Amino acid sequence: MQANTQSEPVNFPAIADIAPKIALLKNTFASGKTKPLAWRVEQLKQIKKMVLEQQDNIFAAMQQDLGRCNMESWTAELGGVITEADHAIKHLKKWAKPRKVSTPIVAQPGKSYMLPEPLGTILIIGAWNYPLLLVLSPLIAAISAGNNALIKPSELSPNVSKLVAEMVAQYLDNEAFAVVEGAVEETTELLKHQFDHIIYTGGDVVGKIVMRAAAEFLTPVTLELGGKSPCIVDSSTDLDVTASRIAWSKWMNAGQTCVAPDYILVEEAFAPKLIEAIKNKITEFYSDDAAKSQDYGRIVNERHLARIVSYLEDQNVVHGGKHDAANKFIEPTLVLNPAIDSPLMQQEIFGPILPIVTVKNIEQSIPFVNERAKPLALYVFTKNSDFEQQVLNSTSAGMVCVNDGFMFAANPNLPFGGVGNSGTGAYHGKIGFDNFSHLKTVMKRSFMFDVPLRYPPFTDKKFKLLKKMI
Ligand code: NAD
């Protein structure tokens, strides 16, 4: 795999150009153009067409930004966008229908329903690690619900950012969608404007900045954040398959995945077998020298490389540990029993180091998880269904996968999102549609007859009758 090359400087817009772009989008939404289902479906089909027709350019941009191979990019990003678009196109009509509910006796004769209505113009702020998916997947949800959107891709993946701006201009309705490329200054400017919803993907520090800015306008937010996602491995598990699935989900994109297993919790007695099995998978997947593997990605930039490498100071490295800063390469690395107060166990790793923390018995992994911030994802590998239920019932996490890595992300019927510190709100499929809709309460009363019970003047008789009804 080639090291990611230094990218051309991104052509950020003049700050003064941002307000007119937002004004155009708001006018378009106000015109009602984005509401008809036919328009939504057409835009969704265009997204699919865009990804398919531009796939070679997308692969190249991802190679440049993340040194990532095409198959991983397809699995994690292009394929995900196409699945989400197809799913939305197929189910949109049903999602957008009025949702009837029953009406109590006090409101009879009458009908009650929820009418999904779009929110307006959505601001989508993306992160660099899956730079296409993390802007297009929210965009699909926003469009299905009848909104339009302004997209701000991450400046840390500049080649994909530039390509997203070009593709959106070429394939989507230019009155309804715009891309603003940029970094802190441009995003800060965007946040000074009123949007109807903001979806932000990234770290919690900026998440708080976004939430504060949104509070000024009482704008609702979806925060797709990260954190340390634990992976509990019980000794009853299928060792070989477990090792494959952990290695796949940890070292995809060189560990730069929000839902990658951040650390493993395993019984002391079982740890040597698990370590051996994972080591074997690393070699099987990426050969003895991952630096030469076509299938192993690179760290996004020097700053993140230095951050990740610094986590290895004073640690017991039991596999890997080498890096090559010039090529933004860090070996798939295993660390055994790091100090719990070390940065490796205090910060989200977001890189290819996998700490293995041993516990005397596997039940101790539950309080270990519960003593920390609620994770975005939690993994448990076990054949013991009692233990599986124990983990499910006594821990909290945005998403859980039993006996695999982040396969839940491949199912558009499941919400994708965190809880507590790992985020708020969720999207994918119908949950995404609902996230970008207002479920408007509608009650329709009949003029057939009118019971005067609730009207003044009030009498004891009326009051007694009313108490029987409510
Ligand atoms: P990043 O550096 O790309 O930042 C995210 C966005 O915030 C970018 O668009 C950036 O321009 C903007 N930004 C940065 N500083 C800002 C500021 N001061 N004011 C306003 N905007 C600003 O991404 P990151 O934060 O390094 O992303 C990594 C984190 O994202 C990890 O914690 C990871 O777990 C999380 N993540 C979560 C998901 C998810 O779906 N839950 C997906 C990917 C990444």
Side-chain angles (χ1 to χ4, degrees):
M1 177 60 51
Q2 287 284 302
N4 41 339
T5 54
Q6 204 56 45
S7 317
E8 291 168 36
V10 177
N11 189 16
F12 293 163
I15 293 294
D17 292 344
I18 290 178
K21 279 194 185 201
I22 298 172
L24 171 68
L25 301 193
K26 286 186 172 187
N27 283 339
T28 304
F29 181 76
S31 75
K33 186 180 193 180
T34 69
K35 285 189 182 173
L37 296 193
W39 182 88
R40 304 184 203 183
V41 169
E42 186 197 323
Q43 298 304 309
L44 294 171
K45 284 185 175 164
Q46 282 296 106
I47 291 182
K48 185 176 172 184
K49 185 170 179 232
M50 169 175 105
V51 169
L52 288 172
E53 283 183 2
Q54 295 292 324
Q55 59 179 294
D56 290 343
N57 291 332
I58 297 172
F59 285 144
M62 287 173 177
Q63 289 252 3
Q64 284 174 302
D65 287 338
L66 291 152
R68 202 206 281 141
C69 68
N70 296 352
M71 180 154 161
E72 258 190 23
S73 288
W74 181 273
T75 311
E77 300 212 58
L78 290 81
V81 171
I82 291 167
T83 305
E84 279 288 325
D86 280 341
H87 185 74
I89 291 166
K90 187 170 171 202
H91 297 285
L92 185 50
K93 218 167 145 187
K94 200 166 77 209
W95 297 341
K97 275 192 178 149
R99 302 178 192 179
K100 277 191 201 153
V101 293
S102 64
T103 304
I105 188 148
V106 288
Q108 293 292 356
K111 280 186 199 154
S112 307
Y113 56 97
M114 292 174 266
L115 187 63
E117 66 173 22
L119 298 174
T121 301
I122 314 293
L123 173 61
I124 299 171
I125 306 176
W128 52 265
N129 60 328
Y130 292 104
L132 186 82
L133 179 82
L134 297 175
V135 292
L136 291 190
S137 185
L139 181 66
I140 288 165
I143 294 174
S144 354
N147 303 284
N148 64 351
L150 189 147
I151 299 163
K152 212 300 288 172
S154 177
E155 73 281 12
L156 299 190
S157 43
N159 292 286
V160 177
S161 171
K162 187 162 170 261
L163 187 59
V164 166
E166 289 164 3
M167 295 192 304
V168 167
Q170 188 185 336
Y171 287 87
L172 298 187
D173 184 332
N174 282 210
E175 289 181 346
F177 304 102
V179 175
V180 168
E181 287 192 87
V184 176
E185 195 189 355
E186 291 73 18
T187 318
T188 305
E189 175 60 26
L190 284 169
L191 291 172
K192 288 180 187 158
H193 294 266
Q194 181 165 10
F195 289 88
D196 298 293
H197 191 108
I198 301 174
I199 177 162
Y200 163 81
T201 304
D204 56 351
V205 174
V206 177
K208 288 176 192 170
I209 295 174
V210 171
M211 206 168 180
R212 264 185 228 117
E216 274 306 306
F217 301 105
L218 296 176
T219 299
V221 290
T222 303
L223 300 177
E224 293 286 337
L225 310 177
K228 292 182 86 65
S229 295
C231 176
I232 302 171
V233 184
D234 172 39
S235 56
S236 69
T237 198
D238 180 318
L239 183 59
D240 189 61
V241 178
T242 298
S244 292
R245 292 177 179 176
I246 290 175
W248 173 80
S249 46
K250 178 66 189 183
W251 287 288
M252 176 185 287
N253 206 24
Q256 300 164 111
T257 303
C258 57
V259 283
D262 188 274
Y263 62 92
I264 287 180
L265 289 162
V266 60
E267 274 181 10
E268 224 165 66
F270 189 59
K273 281 188 192 157
L274 181 66
I275 292 171
E276 203 47 39
I278 297 177
K279 278 184 190 176
N280 289 339
K281 292 298 165 188
I282 293 172
T283 311
E284 199 180 309
F285 290 5
Y286 306 114
S287 80
D288 281 335
D289 184 2
K292 294 203 181 106
S293 166
Q294 294 294 312
D295 303 329
Y296 186 67
R298 294 295 180 268
I299 306 305
V300 67
N301 60 28
E302 292 83 358
R303 180 170 62 84
H304 277 285
L305 182 125
R307 175 185 63 79
I308 299 162
V309 168
S310 76
Y311 293 157
L312 289 176
E313 256 168 52
D314 303 325
Q315 297 292 4
N316 177 18
V317 172
V318 292
H319 183 83
K322 289 201 284 290
H323 73 276
D324 169 6
N327 285 307
K328 300 194 191 86
F329 166 80
I330 303 178
E331 231 183 333
T333 297
L334 298 175
V335 168
L336 181 59
N337 281 328
I340 298 303
D341 60 356
S342 65
L344 184 66
M345 285 307 291
Q346 293 296 315
Q347 308 292 325
E348 177 182 358
I349 299 168
F350 217 52
I353 307 171
L354 182 59
I356 289 145
V357 177
T358 60
V359 284
K360 287 257 179 288
N361 66 64
I362 203 65
E363 281 76 20
Q364 289 172 342
S365 58
I366 293 173
F368 191 97
V369 169
N370 288 339
E371 282 156 16
R372 287 160 178 80
K374 291 182 180 182
L376 182 58
L378 173 77
Y379 302 102
V380 54
F381 287 85
T382 184
K383 284 186 185 167
N384 177 340
S385 52
D386 289 343
F387 182 60
E388 174 192 324
Q389 285 309 313
Q390 208 183 331
V391 171
L392 286 174
N393 295 329
S394 38
T395 59
S396 178
M399 298 165 279
V400 178
C401 194
V402 180
N403 295 339
D404 208 333
F406 42 81
M407 285 304 289
F408 46 68
N411 184 352
N413 298 309
L414 286 171
F416 190 93
V419 55
N421 274 45
S422 55
T424 180
Y427 66 118
H428 285 193
K430 179 173 177 290
I431 300 284
F433 177 95
D434 288 355
N435 191 47
F436 293 111
S437 297
H438 166 57
L439 296 182
K440 186 159 62 187
T441 287
V442 182
M443 180 181 275
K444 184 175 176 185
R445 298 296 317 281
S446 159
F447 286 123
M448 218 150 64
F449 56 85
D450 190 37
V451 183
L453 179 69
R454 63 186 154 136
Y455 303 138
F458 300 131
T459 62
D460 283 351
K461 196 175 157 204
K462 276 187 179 177
F463 195 14
K464 271 185 200 149
L465 244 163
L466 185 88
K467 275 183 165 170
K468 280 189 183 150
M469 295 176 80
I470 306 174

